[in-house]
């Protein structure tokens, strides 16, 4: 099988160009063909010599892979399924009035085992490489219209930081897609060592899956709490500046009977005090064999108003793509079915 050029940096492409007998500045030319002109075959790289292109073709291909399946929700959300090796992963395109957002997957399955998440239930099947991640941006029908991306699909992006970092570089570099980092949000349960790296090595926005301010209760549903405690996660985040360009938000899925009491709201206010942030309250989508249900709208509203009284900006996130199992926590990488946003 040929190696993909997609997902490589100009430096790596320069080395590949050299091997093919091309001058090393061809690395930049190839990057431009891949990420700016978005060509689909090496033959289209017309400013490279014919001999060079032929030599490249012997071992390499551009490597854009079309989706194996697409489902469209009645609200316009579309779920794309991609085959990656023996696994299937999903990307979700969410249109609204002003934006077209891509919800990106970073792993096939996930190791983190959050009990409310369909991805977590299927276990871990492998990391996506940068080509698999960038392919989600390039192979969908709305590829040219995307305005934003959220790493909230299948997998924990900070459990695959090297590949995700490279993808973020391609998305934001002037030689790549040249997106502002403000258009990209990475969502994590807080893999502490790599969270530090993300905060140091990237300027993209951060979303943390919080869901419960009480450690013992959080650990019940999110085993990763044992390794990386919320207190330490918030302590680390408070060391960085979120008062200007970069934003941090906290995802809080509201479960009836688990995390929706006034005591939870008060503890959340206390935990986040002093941090310029937002809390996104997410409606829980019922999954099989799970003890808690969806909180009614009135409960969501009351919880929001308690947070706002405590000085925390809070929004209730609209649910999208539920009928095609594309909503938060439902991604499972199956052709006829249905993440991370439910973290
Ligand atoms: Fe993994 Fe996120 Fe699902 Fe937790 S919520 S199991 S971190 S994909």
């Amino acid at each position: 099988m040929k190696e993909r050029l997609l997902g490589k940096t100009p430096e790596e492409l320069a080395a590949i160009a050299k091997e093919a007998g091309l001058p090393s500045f061809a690395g930049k030319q190839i990057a431009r063909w891949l990420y700016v002109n978005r060509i689909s075959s090496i033959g289209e790289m017309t400013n490279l010599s014919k001999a060079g292109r032929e030599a490249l073709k012997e071992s390499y291909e551009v490597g854009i892979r079309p989706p194996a399946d697409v489902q469209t929700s009645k609200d316009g959300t579309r779920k794309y399924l991609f085959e990656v090796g023996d696994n299937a992963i999903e990307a979700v395109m969410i249109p609204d009035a002003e934006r077209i957002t891509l919800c990106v997957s970073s792993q096939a399955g996930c190791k983190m085992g959050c009990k409310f998440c369909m991805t977590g239930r299927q276990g871990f099947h492998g990391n996506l490489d940068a080509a698999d991640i960038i392919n989600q941006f390039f192979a969908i029908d709305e590829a040219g219209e995307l305005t934003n991306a959220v790493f909230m699909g299948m997998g924990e992006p900070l459990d695959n930081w090297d590949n995700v970092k490279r993808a973020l570089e391609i998305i934001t570099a002037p030689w790549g897609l040249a997106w502002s980092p403000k258009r990209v949000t990475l969502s994590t349960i807080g893999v502490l060592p790599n969270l530090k790296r993300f905060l140091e090595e990237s300027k993209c926005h951060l979303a943390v899956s919080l869901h419960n301010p009480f450690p013992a209760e959080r650990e019940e549903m999110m085993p990763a709490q044992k390794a990386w405690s919320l207190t330490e996660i918030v302590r680390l985040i408070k060391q960085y500046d979120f008062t200007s360009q970069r934003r941090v938000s906290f995802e809080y899925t509201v479960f009836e009977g688990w995390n929706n009491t006034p005591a939870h709201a008060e503890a959340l206010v206390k935990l986040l005090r002093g941090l310029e942030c937002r809390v996104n309250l997410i409606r829980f989508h019922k999954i099989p064999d799970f003890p808690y249900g969806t909180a009614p709208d009135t409960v969501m509203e009351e919880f929001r108003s308690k947070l706002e009284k405590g000085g925390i900006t809070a929004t209730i996130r609209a649910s999208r793509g539920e009928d095609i199992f594309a909503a938060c926590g439902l991604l499972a990488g199956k052709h006829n079915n249905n993440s991370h946003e439910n973290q």
Side-chain angles (χ1 to χ4, degrees), residues 13 21 34 58 66 90 95 115 128 145 157 166 182 207-208 221 244 257 276 304 312 326 340:
L13 293 168
L34 291 174
E58 280 171 28
E90 290 166 336
K115 296 201 176 128
L128 301 194
E145 301 158 58
R166 175 187 287 249
K182 289 186 285 182
V208 176
M221 291 288 163
S244 50
E276 182 74 32
R304 173 172 65 177
I312 305 267
H340 202 86

Side-chain angles (χ1 to χ4, degrees), residues 43-55:
E44 293 166 74
M45 299 180 181
T46 48
N47 60 356
L48 307 185
S49 70
K50 194 149 188 293
R53 276 180 272 161
E54 291 307 317

Side-chain angles (χ1 to χ4, degrees), residues 71-78 93-95 142 320 324:
Q71 286 176 270
T72 305
S73 159
K74 55 182 188 248
D75 69 15
T77 300
R78 302 189 90 192
M93 184 284 300
I94 309 154
E142 302 76 13
R320 302 296 301 271
I324 55 164

Side-chain angles (χ1 to χ4, degrees), residues 110 112-114 116-117 119-120 153-156 189 339-340 342-343:
C110 184
M112 300 298 146
C114 304
F116 44 75
C117 170
T119 307
M154 299 170 78
E156 163 51 65
I189 55 165
S339 92
H340 202 86
N342 240 355
Q343 288 175 6

